[in-house]
Amino acid sequence: MTFKTKFTISLFAIVLSFASCNTEDVAEQNTDALSKNQTASPSTSKVGVCSEVPGWASQNGGTTGGGTSSETTVTNYSQLKSAIENSSVKVIKVTGTITVSARLSLQDQTGKTIYGTSGAKLVSTNQTKDGSGILSVKRCKNLIIRNLVFEGPGAYDTDGWDNAILDDCQNVWVDHCEFRDGVDGNFDIKNKSDYITVSYTKFTYLKAPRAGGSGGSDDHRYSNLIGSSDGATADRGKLRITFARCWWASGCKERMPRVRFGKVHIINSYFNSSVSNKCIAAGFEANIRVENNVFENVKNPIDLMTGLTAVTVTSGNVFTNTSGNKAGKNTAFTPPYTVVPLSTSAIKSDITANAGATFSGNICGSF
């Protein structure tokens, strides 16, 4: 064998060695949050891997949104309305603060991404029954909504609209958003919606509630409703929703979330609203898995309502300075997917640092 050949083989071996080390380093970073006895499965989402969506939105063919389609940048209401209503626009880039003068409607579309650059906000100041709300999404499939702040004018019970609502939608991933100060609620999911994941998202009320609304509640800081009524029986077998690494923060009073019918997985999330009456509420035929969350300074972390199916509260949940019920009832479903778990000691610091519109843009892969 010639010296040149030997040198080439040696050099190739060194390159392979470095590649192996780098691969191990990356794998180590991606599994950093795993507990010592757990490993990530191939279907588990990782940082930077857009095709590996966490939770229920990874099922039923997955969720990709607008993918790598060309972006349409919007900086005002008329541009945003036009882009949302145009089914040919697949990726919308929101820049700056946009005042929503009339509720936006996204209907009957498939494959779309709406995301914000750093600091992007959609703001509504309307507290009327018909004019409130920021975004209504109906009969849509394969959507991604990321890195946006949805800011309402504050809770005022006029039987108005939420900051955002999903109605009869499938495969939606809401990631790194913040929903604050909704009139009726912050973000509701209803009417046969299915395969939904909400990750690294913050829910809060920063403005004092306004009393005297026609809806009857003087303090309607009720954040998230899953399923609209006990009579909405078409929701049976639907409303499969994951809340992963979310934060129910200051000002939330109830519905964190309040569930009917759905198979809802709440994992590695943080609850610390000191004004809470109740946090997770299991309503009619609700099937909820409450896994490794932190409840701090809240009342009634788990509210077991009449007619629930099952609530499993795993041993990994932490309750600090809480009062009221902390136990489940019956045995809830087992998810068909894997979410990379945070260690319990890391949940609070991770969520408070990363939940909300903390990205600089459309960065894929939350976990």
Side-chain angles (χ1 to χ4, degrees):
M1 186 181 294
T2 67
F3 172 81
K4 183 176 181 180
T5 303
K6 289 180 179 179
F7 177 78
T8 302
I9 292 173
S10 298
L11 183 61
F12 182 66
I14 291 169
V15 170
L16 283 179
S17 175
F18 275 113
S20 175
C21 289
N22 289 338
T23 301
E24 289 170 2
D25 289 343
V26 172
E28 206 171 78
Q29 292 169 6
N30 284 331
T31 58
D32 210 28
L34 294 171
S35 65
K36 292 180 180 179
N37 297 322
Q38 293 170 305
T39 56
S41 74
S43 63
T44 301
S45 58
K46 304 178 192 62
V47 172
V49 184
C50 302
S51 61
E52 296 184 5
V53 178
W56 274 118
S58 68
Q59 306 297 293
N60 192 42
T63 303
T64 56
T68 58
S69 300
S70 59
E71 298 180 345
T72 296
T73 300
V74 299
T75 60
N76 59 50
Y77 175 76
S78 61
Q79 291 173 348
L80 177 58
K81 183 176 186 294
S82 176
I84 282 177
E85 294 176 355
N86 186 347
S87 60
S88 297
V89 175
K90 295 300 183 183
V91 179
I92 302 173
K93 176 181 176 181
V94 180
T95 299
T97 297
I98 295 178
T99 299
V100 176
S101 53
R103 187 174 55 256
L104 296 158
S105 179
L106 173 57
Q107 296 189 10
D108 303 300
Q109 294 190 40
T110 299
K112 195 157 191 157
T113 295
I114 305 172
Y115 81 93
T117 58
S118 182
K121 290 200 295 187
L122 305 181
V123 178
S124 170
T125 59
N126 194 317
Q127 288 187 316
T128 67
K129 178 178 180 178
D130 296 326
S132 54
I134 294 172
L135 178 63
S136 174
V137 186
K138 191 169 185 176
R139 296 183 304 272
C140 290
K141 297 180 180 179
N142 189 21
L143 303 180
I144 294 175
I145 301 172
R146 174 178 286 122
N147 206 55
L148 277 168
V149 174
F150 294 78
E151 180 179 326
Y156 181 48
D157 189 11
T158 57
D159 288 325
W161 289 71
D162 312 293
N163 276 344
I165 187 167
L166 296 182
D167 185 335
D168 194 11
C169 294
Q170 290 77 45
N171 288 91
V172 180
W173 184 15
V174 177
D175 178 54
H176 280 87
C177 287
E178 179 176 340
F179 296 88
R180 62 170 79 143
D181 294 309
V183 172
D184 185 62
N186 275 323
F187 176 39
D188 287 3
I189 304 171
K190 66 174 189 174
N191 191 22
K192 300 179 290 181
S193 290
D194 210 3
Y195 300 108
I196 314 295
T197 294
V198 184
S199 57
Y200 273 118
T201 290
K202 181 178 181 180
F203 305 100
T204 188
Y205 290 86
L206 303 176
K207 300 167 184 174
R210 181 181 170 193
S214 57
S217 171
D218 284 344
D219 190 352
H220 202 270
R221 291 177 289 175
Y222 301 163
S223 190
N224 306 94
L225 184 66
I226 310 301
S228 57
S229 74
D230 292 358
T233 55
D235 286 342
R236 284 193 181 119
K238 310 291 185 182
L239 297 177
R240 284 168 280 201
I241 302 165
T242 303
F243 288 94
R245 305 190 189 181
C246 290
W247 184 8
W248 282 272
S250 60
C252 292
K253 190 172 183 182
E254 297 184 12
R255 298 182 186 174
M256 301 178 234
R258 192 252 203 249
V259 180
R260 295 179 176 94
F261 295 106
K263 289 184 177 180
V264 177
H265 187 194
I266 303 168
I267 180 171
N268 282 167
S269 293
Y270 181 46
F271 301 76
N272 76 327
S273 175
S274 61
V275 301
S276 61
N277 282 340
K278 59 185 76 172
C279 295
I280 299 168
F284 188 67
E285 295 187 18
N287 190 338
I288 308 175
R289 183 175 181 84
V290 184
E291 184 175 0
N292 296 14
N293 304 281
V294 172
F295 299 84
E296 184 177 81
N297 302 318
V298 297
K299 296 178 182 177
N300 209 15
I302 313 293
D303 184 36
L304 303 177
M305 303 175 74
T306 302
L308 68 88
T309 294
V311 178
T312 291
V313 181
T314 68
S315 60
N317 289 281
V318 173
F319 302 89
T320 303
N321 193 31
T322 65
S323 60
N325 184 57
K326 298 179 281 190
K329 183 178 181 180
N330 303 331
T331 303
F333 71 102
T334 299
Y337 54 79
T338 301
V339 173
V340 178
L342 288 168
S343 63
T344 303
S345 61
I347 290 173
K348 179 177 177 178
S349 60
D350 182 88
I351 301 308
T352 54
N354 298 308
T358 59
F359 280 166
S360 59
N362 189 22
I363 300 171
C364 297
S366 298
F367 292 72

